[in-house]
Amino acid sequence: MDLALLRRLTTGEGWGLLQSLPPYDEKEALALQDRLRGVGFDADLVAAALNQSRLRARAADKFGEFAQGMVFTSDGLEQATRLDVAARHAQRFRQAGISTVHDLGCGIGADAMAMAGLDLRVRAIDADEVTAAIAAVNLRHWPDSTAVQGRVEEFVPPAGEGARGVGAWLDPARRTPGVADVHGRTRRLFGLGAMSPSWEQVQEVARALPATGVKLAPAFPHHALPAGAEAQWTSLAGEVLECAVWFGPLVRTPGRTAALLRPGTAPVVVTESDAPEHERVASLGAVGSWLYEPDKAVLRAGLVGAVAAAVDGCELDEGVGYVSADRAEDVPFARRFVVVEAMPFNVKALRGWLRDHGFDRLTVKKRGVSVDADLLRRQLRLPAKGSSEATVVLTRVRSNQVALIVRPA
């Protein structure tokens, strides 16, 4: 969609058409397209409206009812911050006394909307002309906030009194420009060196405007965190969504933290002070009766010690994350399993144990070992349509591969 078509879609006849469409149904889309063209709507406008209807249906998971008043691109929707997470970002700025936020690399404007919704004045830019225009449409309910085309590299931070109460929020591009796939998405990039603006440019903004936050991928390396800053890994219902790095007055707890969000419950935050140094299991025979699997945000933040401390347990091996203990505790940032059997990993031995105990289906969880789960299932030669399921955890103890048969507690 180019800028001219976007303007047609978001004004006058185009906007009326878009808002009048029924809930998106893939099976009915072609027939609906033919009907709309048959009554005189331009083919390009119909195609754009139906594409927006499809994207709005997908966006409901991130934006709820707000999705029906927004405009999207495929890439923009995939990369956009979820509404509840964006609200947490905005709260950081508001609680730090910030009144104006420069959203540098705003995408479709998800974070900008959350900030404007908390009465922050947003000055958003995006390098892509169409994306910036889409963000402006999504910000239309807040006249004091704007979105225009602009490059972060050319941003000049305010200085002196002009910088009072001013902060910055960055969401660096992590996709290659150019040809998209069949779903309208371009290739994702990983690593600090591949993003735009660069990590060094992000830190330059933070030096000029200390109240700076930046949304990064969960793979953010711990060693790259500047002194005094906070890196917070956030998960929603167990899925890690981002690592946000905060500077200056936006820092709540310096160092690495993990925030766990679950619908209907209060957020749980784990910090380095909750995660003291911890021991490793001495041997396979010392594996306890309970196994704890930390939330993925806790794992990404390197805070497994918090689980070990909570249950008086030991990590199975360096870096695998699983914690063994003899105590049964309800830990809000870890899942608990009963350990049914612990054995050295051997396909023949595992096959025999599963057969002897009547299991004919298998869920495989693995960490710290290079085992192909699908190949393992074929090697175990389990029945094709079994009904009795076992869960096996393939991991390491003292650098040796082991198989733990576990049951959710």
Side-chain angles (χ1 to χ4, degrees), residues 302-385:
L303 300 175
V304 173
V307 180
V311 301
D312 192 24
C314 299
E315 190 174 5
L316 290 184
D317 205 356
E318 180 74 33
V320 301
Y322 289 111
V323 171
S324 169
D326 287 317
R327 280 172 45 189
E329 298 281 354
D330 290 329
V331 181
F333 43 88
R335 187 180 180 191
R336 176 162 51 97
F337 297 87
V338 178
V339 178
V340 178
E341 183 66 59
M343 65 180 75
F345 174 55
N346 176 278
V347 173
K348 183 177 180 180
L350 180 59
R351 182 193 303 126
W353 191 95
L354 293 170
R355 182 189 62 243
D356 292 346
H357 290 79
F359 290 105
D360 44 27
R361 293 177 58 204
L362 190 65
T363 293
V364 179
K365 302 171 73 69
K366 62 190 182 76
R367 191 173 300 127
V369 295
S370 56
V371 176
D372 185 313
D374 291 332
L375 175 61
L376 174 62
R377 289 190 183 90
R378 292 196 295 271
Q379 291 173 331
L380 292 173
R381 299 195 294 273
L382 298 175
K385 295 183 179 180

Side-chain angles (χ1 to χ4, degrees), residues 14 30 53 61 69 100 105 125 141 155 157 160 180 204 219 226 247 261 290:
L30 187 57
S53 180
D61 182 53
T100 299
I125 63 172
H141 299 298
F155 170 67
E204 288 176 5
F247 298 85
L261 311 182
W290 302 93

Side-chain angles (χ1 to χ4, degrees), residues 52-67:
Q52 285 303 312
S53 180
R54 177 181 63 85
L55 292 173
R56 283 177 170 184
R58 283 176 46 196
D61 182 53
K62 281 191 174 184
F63 298 102
E65 61 184 16
F66 292 98

Side-chain angles (χ1 to χ4, degrees), residues 45-397:
L45 190 62
V46 169
L50 287 176
N51 184 51
Q52 285 303 312
S53 180
R54 177 181 63 85
L55 292 173
R56 283 177 170 184
R58 283 176 46 196
D61 182 53
K62 281 191 174 184
F63 298 102
E65 61 184 16
F66 292 98
Q68 294 308 307
M70 297 175 65
V71 183
F72 302 96
T73 65
S74 293
D75 269 358
L77 174 56
E78 183 171 343
Q79 296 176 66
T81 307
R82 298 180 66 96
L83 186 61
D84 40 6
V85 178
R88 289 175 58 83
H89 296 161
Q91 288 165 3
R92 287 246 188 184
F93 286 97
R94 184 175 176 84
Q95 291 169 3
I98 302 303
S99 58
T100 299
V101 179
H102 290 271
D103 188 346
L104 309 177
C106 64
I108 62 171
D111 279 290
M113 291 171 62
M115 293 172 191
L118 286 185
D119 295 326
L120 299 172
R121 184 169 54 250
V122 181
R123 296 291 178 261
I125 63 172
D126 196 275
D128 182 76
E129 182 180 43
V130 173
T131 302
I134 286 174
V137 172
N138 292 335
L139 278 171
R140 67 191 181 279
H141 299 298
W142 298 277
D144 202 28
S145 293
T146 61
V148 298
Q149 183 185 22
R151 289 172 49 81
V152 179
E153 293 81 357
E154 298 169 358
F155 170 67
V156 179
E161 280 299 309
R164 186 182 298 275
V166 178
W169 171 250
L170 297 96
D171 187 353
R174 295 185 294 278
R175 285 187 177 274
T176 55
V179 179
D181 63 16
V182 293
H183 303 292
R185 298 188 295 265
T186 51
R187 186 168 60 87
R188 181 174 294 181
L189 301 172
F190 298 93
L192 293 180
M195 70 186 197
S196 177
S198 69
W199 180 231
E200 180 53 41
Q201 290 168 329
V202 168
Q203 294 178 85
E204 288 176 5
V205 172
R207 286 189 285 270
L209 292 175
T212 289
V214 54
K215 176 183 173 181
L216 301 171
F220 176 73
H222 297 176
H223 66 80
L225 181 64
E230 176 185 359
Q232 182 165 93
W233 283 260
T234 297
S235 67
L236 178 66
E239 177 191 359
V240 185
L241 303 177
E242 66 176 27
C243 173
V245 176
W246 304 98
F247 298 85
L250 303 178
V251 172
R252 292 175 178 165
T253 305
R256 292 171 282 113
T257 65
L260 285 62
L261 311 182
R262 291 187 176 87
T265 63
V268 174
V269 176
V270 183
T271 70
E272 289 187 51
S273 64
D274 300 317
E277 290 294 323
H278 55 285
E279 300 293 329
R280 271 68 188 180
V281 170
S283 66
L284 181 58
V287 171
S289 303
W290 302 93
L291 186 72
Y292 294 84
E293 181 180 32
D295 182 273
K296 291 178 182 177
V298 173
L299 287 169
R300 286 285 194 176
L303 300 175
V304 173
V307 180
V311 301
D312 192 24
C314 299
E315 190 174 5
L316 290 184
D317 205 356
E318 180 74 33
V320 301
Y322 289 111
V323 171
S324 169
D326 287 317
R327 280 172 45 189
E329 298 281 354
D330 290 329
V331 181
F333 43 88
R335 187 180 180 191
R336 176 162 51 97
F337 297 87
V338 178
V339 178
V340 178
E341 183 66 59
M343 65 180 75
F345 174 55
N346 176 278
V347 173
K348 183 177 180 180
L350 180 59
R351 182 193 303 126
W353 191 95
L354 293 170
R355 182 189 62 243
D356 292 346
H357 290 79
F359 290 105
D360 44 27
R361 293 177 58 204
L362 190 65
T363 293
V364 179
K365 302 171 73 69
K366 62 190 182 76
R367 191 173 300 127
V369 295
S370 56
V371 176
D372 185 313
D374 291 332
L375 175 61
L376 174 62
R377 289 190 183 90
R378 292 196 295 271
Q379 291 173 331
L380 292 173
R381 299 195 294 273
L382 298 175
K385 295 183 179 180
S387 59
S388 181
E389 185 171 5
T391 298
V392 61
V393 176
L394 303 178
T395 185
R396 302 190 316 266
V397 171

